Amino acid sequence: MGNSVTTASSDVQASPSEGDRARLERMFLKHHKIVWRTLRRRGLTEDAAEDATQQTYLLAAERLADIHPNSERSFLIEAALRVAYALGRKTMRWSLEEDMDVRLSQERDTGDKRADIQLCDLALSKVHPDLSEVFVLYEIHGLSAPEIAAMLHIPLGSVASRLRRAREQFREAAARLQRTAQREGKP
């Protein structure tokens, strides 16, 4: 037998059509920030979140034909969560010092949007991870309860229950931050 080279059809990838490229680009431009923030809120570092965002869009490119145009955001968030889980980050949370809210309030300029986001993230970090996930998907990303139930593979009633408990925990954490700011003489 001579040296013959064979190529399996599965090894050859068809290049995406211009329509597919344009759709992926639109999806990226519209949802990139949501995907990245979702990954950051799952505890990934900025660099890890960037890598996981790329992996999420690679999954989207592979499954583009399966993604309904009205479900692109849901698909991307669900894929991002799966990528984060695969990275072993499901239970990873920020390691915060107890007085971090005091230090943040001392550095905080009331007009500084970044400080507001840091304080919100700080309050959110005090919420149980399973609850905060539902809270972020509903309150920040604007997904519906049925979308969240399907995405997380939990009953609709569990979404409502987790959302209620997350709101309670978030309010308690925010109230603590507010009390700390008042003690420090901040508005």
Side-chain angles (χ1 to χ4, degrees), residues 72-130:
E72 291 170 345
R73 181 179 61 164
S74 296
F75 175 88
L76 290 169
I77 291 171
E78 182 177 4
L81 291 172
R82 279 184 281 154
V83 167
Y85 294 152
L87 292 173
R89 308 286 192 208
K90 182 174 193 271
T91 59
M92 183 178 171
R93 301 297 292 172
W94 289 281
S95 175
L96 301 172
E97 299 171 21
E98 283 303 312
D99 69 338
M100 187 174 197
D101 52 343
V102 173
R103 288 184 291 119
L104 268 176
S105 68
Q106 291 170 346
E107 299 168 8
R108 187 172 187 273
D109 177 351
T110 57
D112 186 5
K113 185 177 180 180
R114 178 176 225 128
D116 291 341
I117 291 170
Q118 288 175 329
L119 287 172
C120 181
D121 282 344
L122 179 58
L124 193 56
S125 73
K126 303 293 185 185
V127 177
H128 187 277
D130 289 339

Side-chain angles (χ1 to χ4, degrees), residues 177-187:
L177 291 171
Q178 184 178 20
R179 286 190 304 272
T180 301
Q182 288 172 345
R183 278 194 310 264
E184 297 295 318
K186 305 285 182 180

Side-chain angles (χ1 to χ4, degrees), residues 12-13 17 31 46 50 66 98 100 136-137 139 143 155 187:
V12 178
Q13 294 181 341
S17 71
H31 305 295
E46 288 185 19
E50 288 176 19
D66 301 329
E98 283 303 312
M100 187 174 197
V136 167
L137 292 172
E139 297 291 351
L143 297 176

